[in-house]
Amino acid sequence: MITAPPDPAVLAALATTRPEPVGARFLRSGLHARRLLLLKTLLVRVQRHREAVAPPALRTFEAGWLLLERTERARPDVVRAVLDYPTTGAWLAAALTEPLGAGFDRHLVHLHLLAVTAALRGGLAVDLVVDAPGGVLPLPGVGRVEAGGEGRLRIDARSRSVRIGAGEGAGSRAVLRRPRSAPAGRLTGGGPGWCGLRSLPGGTTRLEDLDPYRLPPDMGIPARAAADHADTDHAGWAGRWTAARALLRGTDRARAVEVGRSVGAVVPLVPRGTRSIGATLSAAPGAVLMTPSAGASDMAETLVHELHHSKLATLHELVPLYRSHDRTASTHHVGWRTDPRPVAGVLQGAYAHLALADLWHRAGRAPGVPGPWRTRSARRFEDVHDQVAGALAILIGSDELTSAGREFARQMRKHHASLSSGRRAHE
């Protein structure tokens, strides 16, 4: 964790919610540094409690660590991409908080899968046998192999071809390839048992419906709410994503670019009733969990809203904005919730809603935006502008913010005031 505030210009840029490159670079580098720190923390925990870890799990973890080091020497860019993928953060959080025992051992084994994935994406020659409980071998961020009841699978990677399976015949194996024309680290697959992760159109964002850590159990959302690959309407999600990105581009091109670059994974949730759900994981910045949206505007707003929860969570991990609250900490009422919120919740909500206010402000001014979107934005801007003003007053008057947090809130208020002209334009 960074103990001193970043350059004031960086903090100010992030406070506005605008997609400034200086802020994005700070968050990306900070996220990677934190992933490395958490990975080293996990290694230290394993070394301190070696006697409590089951020997097979310990051997698998250590083999994974060595393979990851080998891959990092050859392809540091690929290892960084694997470590920074959103669900890797969820795995690290689960492993570091799990008590010693069988559950902890199961988490440790996942490191080997990350290392194997990095090695395959990095083009390393690999010939090894890996455990596949239940006959399923996940390759995080790439896909999974489903090999029926087989508990162990052979991986044979040579040149640009990777074969994965239990049988000796070529027809019994999933085959992955590293296309020459594809971006570095890209794998495509086919063959028996292969289930590849889909990318959403126009970028590198994955429609994440395969990773076992895409929906941790402590979120308050039942695990069964995560849509499985076989039940996901991939074409529907691709269409909604394309429409939402088009709406964002027509309203605020910089915002559309930020969503495409910063949302690494969209995790489909099974709809429950008619209410749309959007959520993020503080441990997995860049993952947006959501039910299918009703339209382009709903999805665009959810993406912007949830992305800013991720941005603020990452910033707070690097530069504490508020002190950890306890049972005696004060709670506050905000316009977008019926229940009282601690100051952390007030800040999170104010930041996400300020980003939406900024988006709706621009929708009222951008030429050529659809009429219904312009009308909807004007109406929502009016409500949220006042709600954010109330929340910012709470934050400015709070003694629970750090010095960096107070400056951040002041910069948020400054940007919020600059949007007031949008109200006069609609009156």
Side-chain angles (χ1 to χ4, degrees), residues 194-206:
W194 173 247
C195 186
L197 200 61
R198 306 285 184 92
S199 290
L200 290 166
T204 58
T205 304
R206 274 90 158 182

Side-chain angles (χ1 to χ4, degrees), residues 228-360:
D228 190 66
H229 187 86
D231 302 319
T232 301
D233 177 10
H234 294 96
W237 277 99
R240 286 185 288 270
W241 169 264
T242 300
R245 289 286 304 283
L247 187 63
L248 286 174
R249 279 196 302 273
T251 304
D252 184 351
R253 180 170 291 275
R255 186 75 72 189
V257 171
E258 179 186 47
V259 166
R261 290 178 177 173
S262 301
V263 178
V266 171
V267 179
L269 300 178
V270 176
R272 291 287 186 269
T274 58
R275 180 172 173 267
S276 296
I277 296 175
T280 52
L281 306 170
S282 59
V288 175
L289 294 76
M290 59 190 303
T291 53
S293 57
S297 55
D298 284 337
M299 188 170 193
E301 291 165 1
T302 299
L303 289 169
V304 170
H305 182 99
E306 299 301 338
L307 172 58
H308 283 78
H309 282 316
S310 278
K311 287 169 64 174
L312 191 67
T314 301
L315 178 61
H316 176 65
E317 291 287 354
L318 302 171
V319 183
L321 301 175
Y322 50 85
R323 291 182 286 277
S324 298
H325 62 274
D326 54 31
R327 294 180 181 178
T328 63
S330 56
T331 57
H332 312 273
H333 287 279
V334 291
W336 52 84
R337 294 284 293 252
T338 58
D339 54 328
R341 308 293 292 157
V343 73
V346 175
L347 180 57
Q348 274 283 355
Y351 190 63
H353 284 86
L354 179 60
L356 287 176
D358 181 274
L359 176 68
W360 290 326

Side-chain angles (χ1 to χ4, degrees), residues 73-90:
R73 288 192 293 270
R75 291 296 304 273
D77 58 328
V78 171
V79 170
R80 176 167 185 160
V82 171
L83 293 182
D84 291 355
Y85 188 61
T87 57
T88 302

Side-chain angles (χ1 to χ4, degrees), residues 82-117:
V82 171
L83 293 182
D84 291 355
Y85 188 61
T87 57
T88 302
W91 162 69
L92 278 167
L96 288 169
T97 55
E98 181 74 22
L100 296 174
F104 180 65
D105 293 349
R106 285 192 295 270
H107 290 314
L108 290 185
V109 171
H110 191 72
L111 177 71
H112 197 225
L113 300 178
L114 291 170
V116 167
T117 301

Side-chain angles (χ1 to χ4, degrees), residues 10-69:
V10 175
L11 200 65
L14 288 168
T16 67
T17 77
R18 294 298 302 154
E20 299 290 345
V22 65
R25 287 194 297 269
F26 177 78
L27 294 180
R28 281 197 302 270
S29 62
L31 171 66
H32 185 62
R34 181 161 175 79
R35 289 285 165 87
L36 294 178
L37 176 63
L38 293 176
L39 194 60
K40 180 63 178 294
T41 302
L42 181 61
L43 175 64
V44 170
R45 187 184 186 198
V46 171
Q47 290 174 336
R48 286 179 177 174
H49 303 284
R50 292 177 64 88
E51 296 78 8
V53 178
L58 183 61
R59 286 194 298 269
T60 301
F61 177 83
E62 292 179 336
W65 192 277
L66 291 174
L67 180 57
L68 198 63
E69 287 183 331

Side-chain angles (χ1 to χ4, degrees), residues 363-385:
R365 293 166 169 258
V369 301
W373 171 236
R374 189 185 302 276
T375 301
R376 170 191 175 115
S377 297
R379 183 178 65 252
R380 294 202 164 190
F381 176 86
E382 289 297 321
D383 294 337
V384 166
H385 188 272

